[in-house]
Amino acid sequence: MSDLNTRMIEKYRNDFLKEVEANVEEGEWVKMCMQCGVCSGSCPLGKHWAHPPQEIFMMIRAGKREEVLTSDSMWMCTSCYNCIVRCPRELPITHIMHGLATYSKKLGLVPKGQPTATFAEIFWNNMMKKGRVNELKLGLSLYFKDGFGQGIKNAMANQKLGMSMMKAKRMSPAEFFGGHGIKDVGGLQKMIKKAQELEEARMKKFD
Amino acid sequence: MAKYTYSYYPGCSSQKGASSSNLMKSVQTMCEELDVELKEIPDWNCCSASIGYASGSELPRITLSARNIALSEEHNPGETIVATCAACWLATREAAERLSHDPQLKAEADQALAEAGLKLKNETPIKHMAEVLVEDIGFENIQAGVKKPLEGIKIAGYVGCQTNRPFGIHGESFENPVYLDKMIEAVGAESVPTYEKKVQCCGGALAFSEPEKSQEMIKGIIEAAYDNGADMIATPCPLCQANVEIYQDQINERYNTKFNMPVVYYSQLISVAYGRSAEDAALDGQIIPAKQLEEIAKK
Amino acid sequence: MSEEKKFAAYICTGCGIGDRLDAASLENVATREGRMNVVKQHEMLCSKEGVKMIQDDIDNDGVTHIVIAACSRRAKVDAFSFPESKVAVTRANLREGVIWARPDTDEARETTQEMAEDYIRMSCGEIKQMNPPKPSGQQERNPNILVVGGGVTGMTAALEAAAAGYTVHLVEKSGELGGHAAKLHKRVPFKAAPVGTPNSPDANLPMPEETGVPEMIQAVESNDNIKVYLNSRITKTSGAPGRFSVDISTESGDTVTENIGSIIQATGFTPWDPSVLSELHYSDSPDVITQLELEELANAAGDGPIKRPSDGKEVKAVVFVQDVGQNSDKEGELPYDSGVGDLVSIKQALYFKHHNGDCDTTIVYDNLRTPGAPGEDFYRSGQKNGVIFTKGDVKEVVPGDTLTVKMHDKILDEDAEIHADLVVLDVGMVPNSGPDPYAATESLEGMSDEEREAELEAQAEEAADETAVSVESILNLTYRQGTDLPQLKWGFTDSHFICFPYETRRTGIYAAGPVRRPMDIKQAMDDATGAAMKAIQEIELAAQGRANHPRTGDLSFPTFRREGCTQCKRCTVECPFGAIDEDEERYPQYNESRCRRCGTCMGACPVRVISFENYSVNTVGAQIKECLIPEEWDEKPRILVLACENDAYPALDQAAIAGQEISPWARVIPVRCLGSVSLSWVTDALNNGYDGIIMMGCKRGEDYQCHFVRGSTMANERMAKVGDTLESLNLEPERVVVHEVAITDIERAPALIKEMEETIEKVGLSPFKF
Ligand code: SF4
Ligand code: SF4
Ligand code: SF4
Ligand code: SF4
Ligand code: SF4
């Protein structure tokens, strides 16, 4: 896929749009956006987006491939679905944002240290190990994502929270040594591997 | 035989010792009272929630949910799947819909499921527990069983995002759903119909990765509850509950506020109103104790 | 009048009138003061029995003049019209005008009763000055319709009129029918996607469709009711609706004269010439073309790829520049938007996509407008097929083998360049109107006399300037007020875009299609159908001597007393509809069927010789006089309200219906238009001791609401002279006011009267109470 990483395209042509349609979840909807801006105005994290959804869609259509795929904007999506239910054109905006984030990740274009991207990866790996999420390990690995020293600092900041969660039996130290899991982990992992392979095979190459 | 039976998908955060175990506990109590039997889906797996997308792109993510549906169809045939977690419900229902609309995706998911020896019929309705209460049981029946009305408590019904969007409860508006208010009134408490943040996003999974940005939103949710004179917030969503409740200390520090607003589940309200103990209602699971509920439970 | 006059007043006690008012006393007023020969009460006058009672009196007792004292003249119109009898009827408004406008309290009882009694007196006075209207005898029924212009609008109008059984003469100046539409490759679709079509990118959405023009031409040519004149022009139009005489100079060089009932002008548009915008290089780059020129390329391409003009290369990337020279405040450009260019560009982008889905088609717009039922679906259709829509401002087109469109992307807020093989410009529509008869006079509004003179001189100079383009006349009307239809705005021929479409300011001549306002084929066809209906209606009304819009069906018409006329020409100049010509002796010559019955001429006449049988200086004068003016020490002021019957009077009715109180001192007299108000009414009222006068008319000026277009404006100009009258009587100027009142002003209208009440409190009662 390396050729896709550095692909240069002509502006205001259909090239990048077509790539998005082929390789991004629900990407075929992007062309249907009518630029009303309702999504951007509805997004709870709107002000933190360098390019809110409306703009992202316009950038795709303007062929701004690199700017879109290296943006951290779509990582701001909290999956609140506010935009989806309000979009007059019924674009599955949330999914497209997720799809763009995923695609950017597949191509290795995510900005370094993007916290949500990091967390998402930790989450996924945590889940894939046992088929269920281990919240304690998830929490700990998040605190240590920036290295050991920073991890201690992060953890200290949340220590009080951790203690009260434990007291309320909503966080169990036993988790660290095992905790929840499914029985057929093997089957699950094989299944996901297959799904990943099938999806990979579906990706279109562009030159 | 219980009056209502469902195939139950508890989800990761509602497991024992997890962040929303108080939801699981109180739902169990509530279901006992309402004569609802929940048959857990054997060996269910994580739905990958709203954050799984980044590493588990479309097909893997949908296959995860497909596995749960297939297991339910195999072990609890004919039963509607019910989830208590908004993210679980959403992911499962979304997967089911996407698979039924996109034959290519379905064919691929079938291939992947085969690796785990499973087969998906994809004929199972998927409900949120709130839908069970509103549609199957009904407000009147809920009200009929109340033994200790939650009189004198003013509760802001916080519906949040994913219980409300994109599917929501049939017949409710996305901008101002009222079923939670009705439920609050059914158990004898006072609702806050003017609660303007009832569908505001709590930050979801970004509460972990982008704490500053999320806590700003959470602050607004709590503030509005105070402004409307609410004594506590009630919600159907485990992520909402956790996000709104557990960061209050940090928000107080960051914004110099004095928040101490209990955030409970609708299932806890019903359990207490039906005369169950504080423990059965999982009130001991609160970080910020819901004292008014505890008192009623004690009576 | 030789016939015996017999006056009757009928007082209704229904709708609460009997409960609130002393009907016996009203009867007394009608008999003693109003001197009616017959006075009767009825508990529900509009009922079958009530109406029959009156009809019996007409038939058996010879009643000729009738006062109905009941509800507003706007209610129960049919019940009290007595169409089979030659009678004059007026209405005293006791319901909306009195009981509903006043509170039902003990304190209010006396003044409410006084109000009612005054309205009885006023109506009795008025009816004595009225005569039953009757047709002039000028009328003819002429079932021929002239359609000018053979494009889609004209052909549709012709087909519609012919289908309704009328004969059509269709005059086209070029050698073939079809106009611009005949040159199109495809047309914008007429129908939206079926209800329930999803929003998804694979939905089935409307696509460009066959123009249907060849079939339409065929239908026109083979229709026995339609006579087509190609390469022909109109050299003279005289007469009036129902009896127009039209000279058509035909292909062969002969002139034929046709008798015509009504006329539809469908002369279409000319595309604006973008050469002046040198930065777009329209005039020097063959690959920068207009939309209409692209249609030719598409037709030439047939089912193959569209090739560009310069070198015949297949177009693989095309940019559409929207709104070129439109919505502009720059000299020489169009101040308006033609509104249909965006749909056209979508259609044309789809020409390219149809042949080659990979052709890059970018539409650069500022505001995308997709009017009409299928508009939004067609927009989606373009999107679905990969047409790129970009909000931007095109600064320049750089010509070359590959053209570069330089623009500012308004969403991404950055300068950008797009490369293309072909650039298509969306230029606006310029209406093909004749010369505007009022171009000179209307620019003079609001000027002082000196300014006016200077401006007229300047205009005369300009006209003498050889280089000035003179627009050729289309209709060559022989009217006193000019050869062609007056224009509303920007050269478009209309009298009101929203309230009365097709109605021009020349009765019986209707405008349709892009000459009226910019529009596309579908809209033009709808427009043509509407205009055809109006043309038919006018033929039938003119045949009976009845008015058309807005006093539809009115039989009264203005006449002037020749002996008194000073030939001042005010009436001929001020008639908003050009209805009055001049005869050989230079007296005004009325053309009844051109007249809308607004009374503006009546208001204009300085010697008050113009009148209608049932509406005149005297009918209103009598009402003013008959109202009882209380002695000064009674401290009951009287406020005369002259309210336009189109908006102000109904607004007051509505106010009463909605429970708004109206001042007990007000006496409201409906007038046909403020333009009909005679200065003498104001002078008389002041002399009679009224304390204040309010005139309520429709909005005037550029965004007028006046149903007679200029009436309200004329009135306002004339009333400027009221100041002199007030001064000579030594009265305060604030005693006379003119207000613009809309039909929706149901709170404001009563409030304006209240305001006058307060003014009178301040300045004191009139000293002219005798
Ligand atoms: S779903 Fe994502 S993009 Fe849409 S409004 Fe919510 S946070 Fe914003
Ligand atoms: S709300 Fe929908 S149509 Fe509007 S800008 Fe956003 S995606 Fe586009
Ligand atoms: S509607 Fe008019 S005429 Fe009929 S009863 Fe009422 S006031 Fe009398
Ligand atoms: S001014 Fe009015 S009433 Fe007089 S002739 Fe003209 S249209 Fe008729
Ligand atoms: S306005 Fe009166 S006086 Fe003047 S020309 Fe007309 S009719 Fe004669």
Side-chain angles (χ1 to χ4, degrees), chain C residues 12 14-15 17 43-47 70-71 76 80 91 95:
Chain C
C12 180
C15 286
I17 295 172
E43 60 193 14
M44 193 183 179
L45 204 53
C46 59
S47 64
C71 37
K76 306 288 169 195
F80 301 131
R91 307 275 294 262
R95 192 178 69 171

Side-chain angles (χ1 to χ4, degrees), chain C residues 664-679:
Chain C
W665 317 137
R667 298 296 179 262
V668 184
I669 300 177
V671 296
R672 289 187 176 187
C673 174
L674 267 202
S676 69
V677 170
S678 166
L679 209 53

Side-chain angles (χ1 to χ4, degrees), chain C residues 526-539:
Chain C
D526 292 347
D527 223 46
T529 309
M533 295 304 125
K534 290 296 305 185
I536 290 170
Q537 183 194 33
E538 176 56 28
I539 284 176

Side-chain angles (χ1 to χ4, degrees), chain A residues 33-39 54 57 87-89 91 93:
Chain A
C33 163
M34 66 173 184
Q35 292 294 308
C36 67
V38 164
C39 50
Q54 172 207 5
F57 296 145
C87 171
R89 286 296 189 77
L91 266 75
I93 304 161

Side-chain angles (χ1 to χ4, degrees), chain A residues 47 86 158 170 183 199, chain B residues 19 43 57 175 216 250:
Chain A
K47 61 177 178 185
R86 286 187 185 168
N158 275 303
R170 286 162 64 180
K183 289 192 209 103
E199 195 170 74
Chain B
S19 60
D43 210 35
S57 51
E175 307 291 340
E216 191 185 334
Q250 294 186 11

